[in-house]
Every structure is written in C-alpha cells, then in structure tokens.
Amino acid sequence: MKLLIIGSGGREHAIAKKCVADPQVTRVFCAPGNPGMQQDGIELVAIAETDHQLLIEFAIEHQVAWTFVGPEVPLLNGIVDDFQAAGLQIFGPSKQAAMIEGSKAFAKEIMETNQIPTAAYRSFTDSLEAKAYIAEKGAPIVIKADGLAAGKGVVVATTVEEALDAVTAMLEQNRFGDSGAKVVVEDFLAGEEFSLLAFVKEDKVYPMVIAQDHKRAYDHDLGPNTGGMGAYSPVPQISQDIVDQAIREVLHPAAQGMIDRGTPFVGILYAGLIATDEGPKVIEFNARFGDPETQVVLNRLDSSLPAIISALLANQEPDIVWNDRASIGVVLAAEGYPEAYQTGSVVPTKAPKTAQLYYAGVADDDQNGLLSANGGRVMLVEVTASDLASAQTEVYRVIDRLSLDGLFYRRDIGDKALRLSREA
Ligand code: AMP
Ligand code: GLY
C-alpha cells in the first residue's frame, strides 16, 4: 500500500513515520514535506499543498491507496472535496466541515446549537460595538480574530486597555487581514488547558490520549503566543473523569451537530479545552492533528495508524490501542520566532537512540550536505519513557548535548504536570 501525506511540518513527519512503520505500507510520500523526513524513509514530492490538481495527478499516477492531510489550509481550500470528485480516497473533513476550525463564529454557533460548554462570547464586525461590550464586561477577557491566524490571532487581555487595543488592531488597522475582519470576544476561562483529539467518521468518535501544549514562546508561559513550543502526554493533572466528560459533552455533540447541519465531519477533530471549576469548556476546535501534540500522542499509539485510517475509510471498526508510557516533545525554534526569525543555522541531525527527531522548518544546506533552519519552528526532540519525570530528564539531557546556534527552546516543558502531580 502506498500513501500520500500532505504538509511539511513536524506533525506530518510524525504521521508519515507512523505510516512507514507498518509493514503493509510499501511507500510513504509527503508533499511537499521537508528534507529532514528523508532520514526516516519518507519520500518527498515537490508539489505545494495548495496545488490540488498536481497532487491528484500524482496520487493517480502512483496508485496511492489514500491521502492524509496534515494542515488546515488545504482542508479549508477544499482539498478533500477535490480528491473525492476525482474518485480518490482521502481522510479529512470537507471544506464545509473544516469551517469548525476556519471560522471561530461558526464554531461558536455549532457549540451554541448543541449545548457544548464554551466561554460566553459575542462576535463583532463593528469596532465601537466590540469596545462597548468589552467596557461592560471588564478584564481579563479574550479577543480572537475570526479566521485562521496560525495560532497568533488570540489576545488574552489582562486589562481593558489591552483588549481595546486588540480590537483596534484587528477591526480598524486590519492587522490580520480578512481573518480579523470579524472578532470574537469571549470570557476568560481559568483552569488547566488540554488537547483532546479524536478520529471521527461522521457519528463514530474514537478519542485519543490527551496532551498539553505550551503556546507561549518563553518559559513560565511568558511571551507571545506561538503555534506551540512543546507538548507532553499523559496530562496527569486532568482526571479521566474530566476527559470522559469532555468526550461526552464536547466530542459526541460536535460530531452529531455537524451531521445535523448537513456537513458531517470526517477526519481528526481537535478540541482545545480548559478544565474549569464547572467542567471542561472549549476554547477552540481544529479540523486536523495538532502540532506539536501529534509528535507525542502518536508515540502512545500501539496500533498501526494507517490500519486505523484504512478501517475508517472502509466503514469498519478500527483497532485502537494506547499505551501507558509518557512522551515529551520540545520544539527547537529559530531565534526571533514567532516574529521575524533568523534562518540558515545548522540543524542537528544526530541524537542518542532514546530520542526521536521530527523536522519542520529545515532545508538542505548545499554547502555541507547538512540541514539548515528555514522556518520558525525548526524541529522537535521527543523522548518516550515509562513516566513523565524520566522522559523530561532524558529529553533535556539529549538537547543539552546538541549544538544549537541560532535556535532556542523552552526549558520547562512538562514542569507543570510534574509540579501539580507532586502537589496532588
Ligand atoms: P487558541 O488559538 O484559540 O488556542 O488560543 C491561544 C491560547 O489562548 C490558548 O491556548 C489559551 O492558552 C488562550 N485562550 C484562548 N481562549 C481562552 C479563554 N477563553 N480563556 C483563557 N485562555 C484562553
Ligand atoms: N498546537 C496547537 C495547534 O496545533 O493548533
């Protein structure tokens, strides 16, 4: 069986590597992928993720059994619809179903209609109305650009002034372009954050083990929001009861709600949740795997990922077994990220056997045959061990031995879990 994975980041590296591991799979193509993936037997295809027609031709020519889409942009461009129209198998949501991620206002509407717990909110296109609402509500309060903004369109404002500035930037100064032409203003939710992902095939929901991401750029959750600087799984401070409640009150009603409105969801549904005193509440939905959550979650999957997807595409029951091990992934990012960042640094390609390296923003360096940095999030170092404390010790032991000029990383991935579980 030959498979095609679309995307080029660490998430796609992890997905493709899981596919390579299945003996039924003979070739794994990644379009466009990145050169770091080649170390793991993944074949790069030089076609952009936005070029549906060329991707379709490639899939036909190489008799790809099915295609899997990593990132949100091609999904929202309708790649699933286009592949299906060409008679090809592809696992992911249609353009309309992907709107659960593509528009925060749409996601809120689904939640409201299906009584899915989320922060109270209102959406606005008019700046004065948004500001009047904020003045009435007070701080802390959260302002979100309606459309996609690569994880950067969210301002968690601790003062009213900061909130008003965010509205000015989005609605008046057009800082996020069309993505910020509408804003959602929502209540601040206090509590521990976690990511709950599931394989979804219309009404069938198969939850994964949970993970926690670290969205801020610097240690102790300081600095600007990023796409994610590291993740770990399990998340011991979130009880199984809370996870079960989220599966019941969030994932199932969301899947059903999408069916009810005629846009059934097929693919990976990602709920970003906060465990509040009143139970888990949604802060966002994504229509795809998370990055860097995938790089840790898939290391706890004992079953074959391609077998699961093949089963779901064939409307069969998948065999899904998770293990009790612990995984931590630490992102190595280019100095300056998430703002303008430095490129060209030499990227490590060797690490001890205890670690796995997942590449993202890397290019071939013609000078010396090595990899060089050409993106914000450059790579991720992952360690799986019997428990979180050992995984954390080992991941930082590995990183400390790498030479990392021009790259930075957070030193506290997993600290919160270890501290909270010590206190519990
Ligand atoms: P998002 O892009 O929606 O995941 O938001 C980025 C980050 O902002 C999240 O990971 C949370 O840490 C934080 N955030 C978003 N919405 C809220 C909220 N309603 N209350 C508290 N924090 C939030
Ligand atoms: N790690 C957050 C995301 O993938 O959206």
Side-chain angles (χ1 to χ4, degrees):
M1 176 164 74
K2 292 183 251 175
L3 305 177
L4 172 62
I5 314 297
I6 300 197
S8 63
R11 163 183 53 206
E12 288 76 22
H13 189 166
I15 294 165
K17 189 170 175 180
K18 262 308 229 193
C19 292
V20 169
D22 184 325
Q24 305 278 337
V25 175
T26 49
R27 294 177 81 178
V28 178
F29 303 106
C30 192
N34 71 65
M37 295 176 175
Q38 289 167 305
Q39 296 186 4
D40 288 316
I42 300 155
E43 299 178 55
L44 306 189
V45 177
I47 304 175
E49 61 190 42
T50 46
D51 199 335
H52 300 187
Q53 197 46 46
L54 278 184
L55 291 168
I56 286 169
E57 284 166 21
F58 179 89
I60 293 172
E61 190 186 327
H62 288 82
Q63 296 174 307
V64 161
W66 44 257
T67 298
F68 185 94
V69 190
E72 62 276 18
V73 170
L75 293 170
L76 282 154
N77 286 341
I79 195 165
V80 168
D81 313 63
D82 291 348
F83 267 62
Q84 286 171 345
L88 295 172
Q89 293 263 51
I90 184 165
F91 190 73
S94 66
K95 181 178 179 149
Q96 282 193 318
M99 285 302 282
I100 198 164
E101 168 163 8
S103 163
K104 302 224 187 261
F106 175 88
K108 284 292 194 186
E109 200 184 295
I110 293 283
M111 289 188 261
E112 196 158 47
T113 314
N114 298 281
Q115 284 106 46
I116 296 171
T118 185
Y121 75 100
R122 275 186 56 191
S123 48
F124 299 93
T125 49
D126 184 274
S127 176
L128 286 179
E129 284 175 24
K131 288 179 177 177
Y133 179 73
I134 289 166
E136 179 195 316
K137 279 277 185 175
I141 194 157
V142 181
I143 320 297
K144 302 184 174 184
D146 182 60
L148 294 181
K152 294 158 209 158
V154 175
V155 176
V156 180
T158 47
T159 64
V160 167
E161 201 184 350
E162 204 184 326
L164 298 177
D165 287 348
V167 169
T168 304
M170 291 181 199
L171 288 181
E172 294 173 32
Q173 297 165 345
N174 235 11
R175 269 274 301 283
F176 293 93
D178 283 349
S179 290
K182 191 194 263 185
V183 300
V184 169
V185 180
E186 73 177 24
D187 288 359
F188 173 81
L189 298 176
E192 274 293 299
E193 206 170 325
F194 64 106
S195 305
L196 170 62
L197 287 73
F199 299 97
V200 176
K201 179 80 192 282
E202 304 189 347
D203 63 330
K204 298 269 200 328
V205 174
Y206 305 93
M208 304 188 200
V209 290
I210 63 170
Q212 187 175 70
D213 186 10
H214 294 63
K215 295 259 166 70
R216 302 291 191 124
Y218 314 131
D219 285 0
H220 314 300
D221 291 331
L222 297 174
N225 265 318
T226 69
M229 293 296 293
Y232 60 91
S233 176
V235 190
Q237 65 272 38
I238 304 291
S239 70
Q240 190 56 42
D241 281 352
I242 293 178
V243 176
D244 291 342
Q245 193 180 351
I247 293 168
R248 218 168 41 236
E249 296 181 2
V250 175
L251 294 182
H252 282 283
Q256 189 55 48
M258 294 298 277
I259 294 170
D260 294 344
R261 63 181 302 293
T263 52
F265 191 94
V266 176
I268 308 297
L269 183 61
Y270 166 135
L273 298 153
I274 292 191
T276 73
D277 290 343
E278 298 165 358
K281 294 191 181 183
V282 176
I283 52 172
E284 65 168 343
F285 278 117
N286 293 319
R288 49 160 177 85
F289 267 117
D291 191 339
E293 287 93 330
T294 308
Q295 293 90 311
V296 296
V297 165
L298 288 186
N299 278 302
R300 297 193 53 208
L301 177 62
D302 279 350
S303 332
S304 155
L305 176 66
I308 292 171
I309 293 167
S310 294
L312 291 172
L313 284 167
N315 284 320
Q316 290 162 355
E317 268 312 290
D319 177 27
I320 308 180
V321 180
W322 300 98
N323 65 49
D324 288 333
R325 292 167 68 77
S327 170
I328 294 197
V330 179
V331 169
L332 309 181
E335 297 284 0
Y337 175 75
E339 308 299 335
Y341 51 77
Q342 175 179 332
T343 60
S345 312
V346 173
V347 170
T349 49
K350 293 215 163 26
K353 279 208 163 42
T354 49
Q356 299 186 85
L357 306 180
Y358 295 110
Y359 290 96
V362 297
D364 277 321
D365 188 331
D366 298 334
Q367 306 280 308
N368 50 19
L370 297 172
L371 295 173
S372 69
N374 81 335
R377 291 191 291 178
V378 172
M379 62 185 288
L380 174 141
V381 182
E382 188 275 344
V383 166
T384 302
S386 55
D387 57 77
L388 277 176
S390 327
Q392 193 201 40
T393 305
E394 181 61 11
V395 82
Y396 285 113
R397 193 189 70 88
V398 169
I399 292 172
D400 282 341
R401 279 162 178 71
L402 300 174
S403 108
L404 296 177
D405 277 349
L407 303 180
F408 78 100
Y409 58 93
R410 280 182 60 160
R411 272 230 75 99
D412 64 340
I413 307 299
D415 275 3
K416 210 195 278 173
L418 293 169
R419 194 182 61 241
L420 290 171
S421 51
R422 236 178 280 128
E423 284 166 7

